[in-house]
Amino acid sequence: CFWVKNLTLKKRLPGPFAWPLVGNAMQLGQMPHITFSKLAKRYGDVYQIRLGSSDIVVLNGESAIRKALLQHSTEFAGRPNFVSFQSVSGGTGMTFINYSKQWKMHRKIAQSTIRAFSSANSQTKKSFEKHIAAEAQELIETFLRLSSNNQYFNPSHELTVTAANIICALCFGKRYGHDDFEFRTILTKVNKFGETVGAGSLVDVMPWLQSFPNPVRSIFQSFKELNKDFFTFVKGKVVEHRQSYDPEVTRDMSDAFIGVIEHADTETGLTEAHTEGTVSDLIGAGLDTVSTALHWMLLLLVKYPSIQTKLQEQIDKVVGRGRLPSIDDKSNLAYLDAFIYETMRYTSFVPVTIPHSTTSDVTIEGLHIPKDTVVFINQWPVNHNPQKWQDPHIFNPSRFLDETGALDKDLTNSVMIFSIGKRRCIGDQIAKVEVFLITAMLIHQLTFENDPSQDLSLNCSYGLTLKPFDYKISAKPRGSVFNEE
Ligand code: HEM
C-alpha cells in the first residue's frame, strides 16, 4: 500500500549518528578513505554520512561500486554543484561539470582528441613516445645535476615539471625548461589543487566557513587564486593558437579543440570558452596524477632496494646497455608493469574519486538514494580487500605475476584507480604509457638511494591525490648506455 511503499522509500540509509551543524565532519580524520573503509565494516558497503548541510552516500567495495557506476551508470554520472568546482577551468571544463547532453558531447570530444594525439596510429604513438622519452632524458640529467657532490634532493618539483611538460607538449606543441620561472611558479601552486576538490573537503559542505577567518577559508582563497592564475596561463596560450589558427594544419591538441569546437559544421553548443576550459582540464588532470604516481614510485624504489635491483636486472637483460628502453619493450618487462600496478594498488594514490552526484532517484542494494545526492566512491578498499589480495598491506609486485613470470591480466584489471563507468578517467591510457616509459628510463640509467639521515616513511597527505611527505634521494649513474656498442 502507499504508506508501506512510502516508508520503504524514505528509509534512511545506514550510517553513523550525525551531529548538528557539522554532521560527521569532525570524524573524518586525516585519512578520510580509511575512515570510510572502517565505517563500511560497521554499516555495509553503501551507507550515508552527513557533512555540514549535505547528506552524502559513500560507496565502498567492488560489488557496490560496480553496481552503481556500471549498472546505473547514468544515475551516478553527475557532479555536485560544489562551490569549489565552479572555480576550476573557468567553469567551462568537463571534469567538474554536471551530467548533461552537452557534457556528453564535450567529454567525447576530449576523449577522441586525446586518442588522436597519443594512440590513433603508429605515427602518433611514436610521436607521443618521443615527447615522453625527451622529458625522461631531461629529468635524468636534472636528477644527476641535483645529485652532484653527493647531494640529496627532493624530486617532487622536477616530477611535476616532467608530467606538466608532456601534457603541455600535447596541448601546446611546446615544453618549458625546468628553470622557466613562470611555469615553475604556476606548477608550485597547482600542487595544492587536490586539497580542496578531494572528497571530504569542508568548504563545499559548510559554505558558511567562508564568512569568517579560519584555515579552511584561507585554503579556499588560495585555491581560487591558483585556479585563476592557472586558467589565465592556459587561456593565453589558447588565444595565441586561435590567432595563428590554420584549418589546414593541426599543430597540437589546442588546434584540434579550436577546430572541433569553434569551426564545427555541426552545432555542439560549445563555445570558445569551452576550448580553453577543456585544455585547462586536461593539463590539470594530466600533471598532478602522473607526477604523484612517479613520486610514489621513486619513494618505493629507495624504500625497497632489492626490488629496484630486480627491476634493473630485468631491464638490462631485455634491453641491454646498448640502447634506451622503449614502449615496444613493455611486453617483455612484466616485472616493471607489475611494479607499476602494485604501486597503484598499494598506495591507491587517488583513494576516492572526484565526488559524483545522482542525476535521478535510484535504488542500489535495496537502498533508495534521491536525485542530487552527493556520492563518494571509495576506491581504496577495493585495492585492499583481503579476500582479493593476500596480505594487502605488503608491497609485493610479484603478486601480479603468474608461475611463468607473465602479467596476470585478471589481477591487473582488478586494481581500481581510474574509476569506472561514465566518469572513468579519459587519460588512463596515456598515463600508463607515460609512467611506464619514464620509470623504465629512470631505472635503466640511474640507481636511486635514500638519504641515510632520513627515516623513510610512507606517510602522506590526503586530497584528491595522496601525496607522500617530502623525502630526499640521490641518483647515481649506471654507466654510459652506449659503452658496449
Ligand atoms: C578523471 C585517475 C591521469 C584526465 C579521473 C578520475 C580519476 C582519475 C580517479 C575521477 C573519476 C570519477 O570521478 O569517477 C587518474 C589517475 C591518473 C590520471 C590515477 C594517472 C595515473 C590522467 C591524465 C589525463 C586525465 C594523464 C589527461 C590528460 C582526466 C579527466 C577526468 C579524469 C579529463 C574527468 C572525467 C570526467 O569527469 O568525465 N582521473 N587520472 N587523467 N581524468 Fe584522470
Side-chain angles (χ1 to χ4, degrees), residues 60-93:
N60 303 264
E62 195 172 351
S63 152
I65 294 178
R66 285 190 166 274
K67 261 183 214 148
L69 300 192
L70 297 180
Q71 286 172 23
H72 297 280
S73 58
T74 305
E75 292 95 320
F76 282 93
R79 293 276 189 229
N81 183 23
F82 281 163
V83 49
S84 68
F85 286 14
Q86 289 153 22
S87 320
V88 185
S89 298
T92 52

Side-chain angles (χ1 to χ4, degrees), residues 215-409:
V216 172
R217 182 166 89 161
S218 46
I219 290 174
F220 188 52
Q221 299 289 8
S222 345
F223 174 80
K224 282 195 285 196
E225 258 166 53
L226 82 83
N227 275 288
K228 208 166 120 234
D229 293 352
F230 183 66
F231 189 60
T232 307
F233 170 80
V234 171
K235 190 171 167 176
K237 308 287 171 212
V238 175
V239 168
E240 281 169 20
H241 273 71
R242 195 173 283 129
Q243 282 159 356
S244 55
Y245 178 73
D246 173 357
E248 301 295 319
V249 188
T250 308
R251 295 164 293 188
D252 45 40
M253 294 216 293
S254 291
D255 273 358
F257 287 128
I258 292 172
V260 185
I261 293 176
E262 301 170 27
H263 297 261
D265 294 334
T266 47
E267 186 45 56
T268 60
L270 301 171
T271 63
E272 286 189 355
H274 290 98
T275 306
E276 290 142 18
T278 317
V279 178
S280 165
D281 259 17
L282 294 189
I283 298 182
L287 73 90
D288 185 44
T289 45
V290 171
S291 63
T292 304
L294 296 171
H295 205 187
W296 277 110
M297 278 173 206
L298 287 185
L299 174 57
L300 290 160
L301 287 175
V302 290
K303 177 96 181 155
Y304 301 108
S306 60
I307 293 180
Q308 181 173 188
T309 307
K310 196 168 163 188
L311 285 163
Q312 287 172 329
E313 280 167 6
Q314 189 182 56
I315 211 162
D316 285 355
K317 203 163 133 207
V318 171
V319 176
R321 305 298 305 158
R323 65 170 177 90
L324 295 170
S326 82
I327 279 296
D328 299 334
D329 296 312
K330 197 166 187 289
S331 52
N332 296 316
L333 292 172
Y335 189 63
L336 175 53
D337 248 343
F339 171 75
I340 293 170
Y341 276 104
E342 179 66 345
T343 304
M344 296 197 289
R345 183 203 69 80
Y346 176 78
T347 67
S348 294
F349 64 83
V350 187
V352 186
T353 73
I354 300 167
H356 286 223
S357 75
T358 47
T359 56
S360 60
D361 288 8
V362 59
T363 301
I364 69 158
E365 309 216 320
L367 298 162
H368 175 78
I369 304 171
K371 180 175 187 291
D372 294 326
T373 302
V374 178
V375 183
F376 289 170
I377 291 136
N378 190 11
Q379 305 193 106
W380 192 89
V382 178
N383 299 328
H384 291 85
N385 176 2
Q387 254 109 51
K388 174 108 210 173
W389 311 100
Q390 199 183 357
D391 299 325
H393 300 289
I394 291 178
F395 184 75
N396 174 21
S398 299
R399 71 170 76 243
F400 286 101
L401 301 178
D402 65 20
E403 326 66 68
T404 67
L407 205 61
D408 181 337
K409 293 272 165 58

Side-chain angles (χ1 to χ4, degrees), residues 440-457:
M441 287 186 57
L442 290 178
I443 55 171
H444 185 252
Q445 298 202 42
L446 302 173
T447 297
F448 295 98
E449 285 172 12
N450 183 24
D451 177 349
S453 71
Q454 118 198 297
D455 193 11
L456 211 54
S457 88

Side-chain angles (χ1 to χ4, degrees), residues 29 202 231 484:
L202 295 185
F231 189 60
E484 290 171 16

Side-chain angles (χ1 to χ4, degrees), residues 161-177:
V161 173
T162 298
N165 264 328
I166 295 170
I167 189 73
C168 278
L170 286 181
C171 288
F172 303 141
K174 183 174 173 356
R175 67 177 301 277
Y176 302 85

